[in-house]
Amino acid sequence: MGTAAAEVEISEPLLQQDEAAAPDLDEPIPDWKEQITIRGLVVSAVLGALFCIITHKLNLTVGIIPSLNVAAGLLGFFSVKSWTGFLSKLGFSSKPFTRQENTVIQTCVVACYGLAFSGGFGSYLLSMDEKTYKLIGEDYPGNHAEDVKNPGLLWMMAFIFVVSFLGLFSLVPLRKVMVLDYKLTYPSGTATAMLINSFHTRTGAELAKKQVNSLGKYLSISFCWSFFKWFFSGIGDSCGFDNFPTFGLALFNNTFYFDFSPTYVGCGLICPHIVNCSVLLGAIISWGFLWPFVSTKAGDWYPAGLGSNDFKGLYGYKVFVAISLILGDGIYNLIKIIYVTIKEMSTKRQSLPTVTEVIETDSNTSKLLLEEKKRDEIFLRDRIPFWVAAAGYVCLVAISMSTMPLIFPPLKWYLVLCSYIIAPALAFCNSYGTGLTDWSLASTYGKIGLFIIASIVGSNGGVLAGLAACGVMMSIVSTAADLMQDFKTGYLTKSSAKSMFVSQIVGTAMGCVIAPLTFWMYWTAFDIGSPDSPYKAPYAVIYREMAILGVEGFSELPQHCLAICIGFFVAALAVNLLRDLTPKNVSQYIPIPMAVAVPFYIGAYFAIDMFIGTVILFIWERINRKDAEDYAGAVASGLICGDGIWTIPSAILSIFKVDPPICMYFKPSGSS
């Protein structure tokens, strides 16, 4: 599970040379309090709710979440500009919309919908529920009834509030070291800053207007198409365009079909080509070859006649092979990031700049240096005292130590304390690694906490304790990396560090309420977690099985399953090593094991959708690369947002038991 983001290389000199996007040296900088406005917070809350709904949908269906930062930036800019334009037509004056306010909105929105992912609503929290427990099997070794905790709105809000703010206070004192001393790139944060800076230039504002128009157009198309599809989806999960046998019934039975989903096509437009091709390759390997082969061994490797969701049969192979690929990829990248971090830190420590003096320079160099000096002054002007960060962290640890055992009794206070003692070090590693590579390993750190705590607690509540510890670790390292990325964005847009910190806190507080509420809409309206449901929540089963493995070991796996898992685990390590050792012109064509793993358990249908998206983008880039670069993100965001917005009326109809009037399904022509 994770966010699929492009591997971009953005350097600060490149950013500085882009004069069209650079802030004016003489531009007045508002006070940090003026950067946080009521209209900005209102827009942030509305967009945060929208993106939480979209993130939940992706999390509960396939688990691949593309970066929505471009959409957040575009919609934030458009919303406030529309707001001020409407007021001016009514004769009311309004404060100018600055790049700093734009940055605050971006920060709030990303902090809010980030909790829909790191909050575990499609993974570790959902792994605790009774449906997942029964799906694995009540008689399955290590799967105990006492390790069940069904979703509840109040306890989920309390849990998110307790764990989500700790990451914000853990690394605040290091913001100068990370952003100014080490000059970490934070590619996504830098790209976001370039986007926001470009909005506030004349040419950039014109392009942004066209991008918003494009986003709105495809949002409307996506919403109307989803509405149209609903009429044919009938009762149950076997009707409609979502089950259209595009390539024939034989391939349909192996999940190879196009389900006409605007969301997944949009994901294909946003995600890099290699991610989409890796997903398709995983679908071909698993559903094209591996699972048909394993299914022929029924009665030999595993008992024949088992249910499709029985872990003693084919279903067990699907889950554990996917886990082996995910762990192999995660462990390799964790070791790689730690190695790169240590190497870069030692290099930077030997060559940290102390004093920069410029006596004779040309005009361009002088302008760039003045620009950098101005940004440094603004970034360091509004300090966040060390005692605030330390006191905040200690107070939150004390609150968490007293409340976590009440929510999850097997997770004792001393285990919580140990987690919070090592969490800042892990948060630093993740934040530094994200600054270098743009790849957050929050879920990997969460899995490490899961295995350690589950094995320590053992069979008496170890599964529940491990899943809760996964949430603690994942939330801390994820929010810490997000905060540093936002500091980088704020630095490049000349926004106050204090306004960035406050907006991150406000956005997190919004997310603590909005993320559980939007998840609750899904929980009450749809059949969440059922393998036959569109919202099968694939990672719920995977995370619970990981926790059971931490307690019980590998003794209960189906025959030959462990050998197959070891093979795929080693393959994930080898492929990652090959990607790093080969030249870039070769490695760009080598698949990504984490992306390959996703369809092993979920199915091939969404891989077809994403591949169609990547084919559309590929052709678009060949016809007009400039247009593709300018508008592909807006088109993709419109497709994703429109389908996501339709979820709200769809959920309301489901709650009031209003069923679609038509069931469109397909069968062989010879059958009655």
Side-chain angles (χ1 to χ4, degrees), residues 391-419:
Y393 193 81
V394 170
C395 290
L396 287 170
V397 168
I399 294 170
S400 187
M401 286 171 57
S402 60
T403 55
M404 288 290 283
L406 298 177
I407 302 173
F408 307 108
L411 189 64
K412 305 302 182 184
W413 66 268
Y414 50 86
L415 296 175
V416 177
L417 178 60
C418 291
S419 299

Side-chain angles (χ1 to χ4, degrees), residues 331-594:
I331 290 172
Y332 178 89
N333 280 289
L334 176 63
I335 295 171
K336 172 186 170 182
I337 292 297
I338 292 174
Y339 169 75
V340 171
T341 298
I342 294 172
K343 181 180 177 181
E344 288 291 322
M345 286 180 64
S346 61
T347 304
K348 295 280 188 179
R349 188 176 292 113
Q350 295 169 7
S351 59
L352 279 179
T354 51
V355 179
T356 303
E357 292 186 6
V358 179
I359 299 174
E360 293 183 3
T361 60
D362 58 41
S363 59
N364 287 333
T365 305
S366 177
K367 185 177 180 180
L368 292 176
L369 290 171
L370 287 173
E371 176 71 30
E372 183 175 355
K373 183 179 179 182
K374 176 87 170 182
R375 288 202 305 260
D376 291 351
E377 289 175 357
I378 294 169
F379 188 72
L380 296 174
R381 185 171 59 199
D382 295 319
R383 296 183 179 275
I384 303 166
F386 174 80
W387 68 267
V388 171
Y393 193 81
V394 170
C395 290
L396 287 170
V397 168
I399 294 170
S400 187
M401 286 171 57
S402 60
T403 55
M404 288 290 283
L406 298 177
I407 302 173
F408 307 108
L411 189 64
K412 305 302 182 184
W413 66 268
Y414 50 86
L415 296 175
V416 177
L417 178 60
C418 291
S419 299
Y420 288 147
I421 289 174
I422 65 173
L426 298 180
F428 174 80
C429 291
N430 191 48
S431 298
Y432 197 100
T434 303
L436 292 172
T437 65
D438 206 31
W439 190 265
S440 175
L441 297 177
S443 59
T444 302
Y445 288 106
K447 294 181 187 88
I448 292 172
L450 183 155
F451 281 117
I452 292 174
I453 298 299
S455 61
I456 290 174
V457 176
S459 58
N460 189 20
V463 171
L464 192 63
L467 292 170
C470 173
V472 170
M473 204 63 67
M474 190 168 160
S475 295
I476 291 175
V477 299
S478 177
T479 52
D482 288 345
L483 177 64
M484 283 300 160
Q485 193 131 243
D486 289 335
F487 276 142
K488 182 69 175 185
T489 303
Y491 169 74
L492 295 173
T493 58
K494 294 184 180 178
S495 302
S496 166
K498 191 173 287 186
S499 71
M500 290 291 93
F501 183 61
V502 172
S503 60
Q504 183 84 15
I505 290 177
V506 172
T508 302
M510 289 179 181
C512 289
V513 176
I514 293 173
L517 282 174
T518 48
F519 169 77
W520 202 249
M521 178 191 73
Y522 282 94
W523 181 256
T524 55
F526 304 111
D527 184 18
I528 303 297
S530 171
D532 301 319
S533 165
Y535 300 98
K536 53 178 62 71
Y539 284 97
V541 170
I542 287 175
Y543 271 72
R544 189 172 185 90
E545 276 293 352
M546 286 182 184
I548 293 173
L549 283 178
V551 174
E552 296 291 324
F554 300 94
S555 59
E556 297 299 327
L557 295 181
Q559 189 177 358
H560 301 300
C561 184
L562 181 59
I564 296 173
C565 289
I566 291 173
F568 277 97
F569 179 86
V570 173
L573 297 176
V575 170
N576 272 307
L577 184 62
L578 189 63
R579 283 177 57 84
D580 286 334
L581 293 180
T582 53
K584 188 173 181 181
N585 62 338
V586 176
S587 64
Q588 63 181 334
Y589 299 109
I590 298 176
I592 301 171
M594 184 73 77

Side-chain angles (χ1 to χ4, degrees), residues 217-259:
K217 173 184 175 181
Y218 284 93
L219 184 151
S220 303
I221 292 172
S222 176
F223 180 87
C224 293
W225 171 246
S226 299
F227 178 43
F228 175 77
K229 284 202 307 178
W230 176 83
F231 284 97
F232 300 91
S233 57
I235 301 172
D237 304 308
S238 60
C239 305
F241 287 94
D242 291 342
N243 296 277
F244 196 99
T246 324
F247 309 114
L249 291 172
L251 285 175
F252 175 80
N253 291 332
N254 278 335
T255 71
F256 282 95
Y257 59 92
F258 177 49
D259 71 348

Side-chain angles (χ1 to χ4, degrees), residues 14 47 51 65 95 182 186 226 228 233 312 322 333 337 353 356 551 559 592 599 626 629 633 637 650 654:
L14 173 64
L47 294 181
F51 287 116
I65 305 169
K95 293 171 61 177
Y182 288 138
Y186 287 101
S226 299
F228 175 77
S233 57
K312 297 181 180 68
N333 280 289
I337 292 297
T356 303
V551 174
Q559 189 177 358
I592 301 171
K626 181 66 168 62
E629 291 174 353
S637 300
S650 175
S654 178

